Amino acid sequence: MLRTNNIDHERTADYAAFARALAGHKDKAACLRDTATAPAILLIGGNPTEEHPLLAWNLRTNVRLNRGKLFVANANPIKLERQAKATLRLPR
């Protein structure tokens, strides 16, 4: 028993296949640090505010301090839409 509520895990993709696909291709994936300074970010699905608070904080800070442009495409409304330059509601 771990006795903590601070565990988050959601396996939605085959990570091994994803890693193989990116192997040998420079600059194909961004790291968390990149989200703080990227000039534009397209967020498709998910809810970083609930699922990854540090990512959500990076995105909000980027929009506020660096004038980064956030674009959100999601089936459900999320808090980050307030910072988004544009949103697209995807069908469920």
Side-chain angles (χ1 to χ4, degrees), residues 39-50:
I41 295 171
L42 173 60
L43 175 63
I44 303 173
N47 184 351
T49 304
E50 296 292 325

Side-chain angles (χ1 to χ4, degrees), residues 9-17:
H9 181 338
E10 183 178 342
R11 183 163 175 118
T12 58
D14 181 356
Y15 182 76

Side-chain angles (χ1 to χ4, degrees), residues 13-24:
D14 181 356
Y15 182 76
F18 176 69
R20 281 192 304 275
L22 292 179

Side-chain angles (χ1 to χ4, degrees), residues 7-85:
I7 297 174
D8 184 20
H9 181 338
E10 183 178 342
R11 183 163 175 118
T12 58
D14 181 356
Y15 182 76
F18 176 69
R20 281 192 304 275
L22 292 179
H25 298 282
K26 186 178 175 359
D27 298 328
K28 291 291 181 181
C31 68
L32 187 59
R33 183 176 296 143
D34 295 332
T35 63
T37 59
I41 295 171
L42 173 60
L43 175 63
I44 303 173
N47 184 351
T49 304
E50 296 292 325
E51 298 162 0
H52 197 314
L54 180 56
L55 173 59
W57 185 82
N58 273 5
L59 296 176
R60 287 191 307 273
T61 300
N62 185 2
V63 169
R64 189 177 66 249
L65 299 180
N66 301 326
R67 297 187 182 184
K69 292 176 179 61
L70 176 63
F71 301 90
V72 175
N74 206 331
N76 301 310
I78 62 173
K79 283 178 77 173
L80 282 171
E81 289 179 1
R82 289 186 262 176
Q83 285 81 29
K85 184 88 169 157

